[in-house]
Amino acid sequence: ADGRHDVVLSEHESGVDYPVRGLSCSSTQIPDIRERFPTYHEFAEASLESIYGDVLGLGRRLEIDDTRSLWFERTERGFVAHALPMHAQVGPILGIARADLDGDGQPELALAGGLHQTEIETTRMDALRGVVLQGPPAEWRSVSVLESGFDAGGDVKALEAIRTPDGPGLVVARNH
């Protein structure tokens, strides 16, 4: 109705697509859904097609099978995707800064991010309290917060490397 596209997340199971979002979020966008599925149980058993019908055919279908945070290596044959270390996978990465944080002449990668403004059915995503990756990209290892001193929890939206009179530093932007 507002001319904008909305995302409908689904999971594929036994040949059928089911919505990821529950009745509350879905019916907020399309109130008619609440009338057709008066109980949470009815909605939970409904397929995406039975909920949205022909409207699904009007949109674009995009599929993803890997939700890990990745880095891409440029090779002669194109780009190759590599997963970031496990400590960088615990939350969304919204800020990245590259700087020589430990003074060894090699740059580290600092990552941080957090989402507190989620829909009611989605918990906030703020488990990534910041992580520093050290070493060449193919061998990145996570540096503990005790070693790096970098602890950037909360609703982090951006990260920037800076120079201070005492050496390199990081500015963390939270919330807005």
Side-chain angles (χ1 to χ4, degrees), residues 47-161:
S47 70
L48 204 64
E49 187 174 333
S50 68
I51 296 167
Y52 295 101
D54 294 337
V55 175
L56 288 176
L58 301 175
R60 279 191 326 186
R61 180 183 177 103
L62 303 172
E63 293 184 31
I64 186 168
D65 61 3
D66 191 344
T67 58
R68 297 174 299 171
S69 293
L70 308 169
W71 68 275
F72 293 86
E73 176 184 16
R74 184 186 312 206
T75 69
E76 292 176 5
R77 290 177 280 137
F79 289 94
V80 177
H82 302 277
L84 289 171
M86 187 54 67
H87 288 105
Q89 300 295 340
V90 298
I93 297 170
L94 299 174
I96 301 174
R98 185 174 182 260
D100 181 8
L101 299 171
D102 61 7
D104 68 355
Q106 299 298 314
E108 284 75 42
L109 200 61
L111 310 170
L115 290 173
H116 285 196
Q117 298 82 21
T118 58
E119 292 178 331
I120 194 165
E121 294 176 352
T122 306
T123 60
R124 40 189 230 190
M125 294 175 255
D126 61 356
L128 180 63
R129 297 196 50 87
V131 65
V132 173
L133 303 180
Q134 193 175 56
E139 301 169 15
W140 265 331
R141 71 171 186 86
S142 302
V143 179
S144 79
V145 68
L146 296 174
E147 185 181 340
S148 71
F150 180 56
D151 185 5
D155 198 17
V156 175
K157 299 299 181 215
L159 187 60
E160 188 72 34

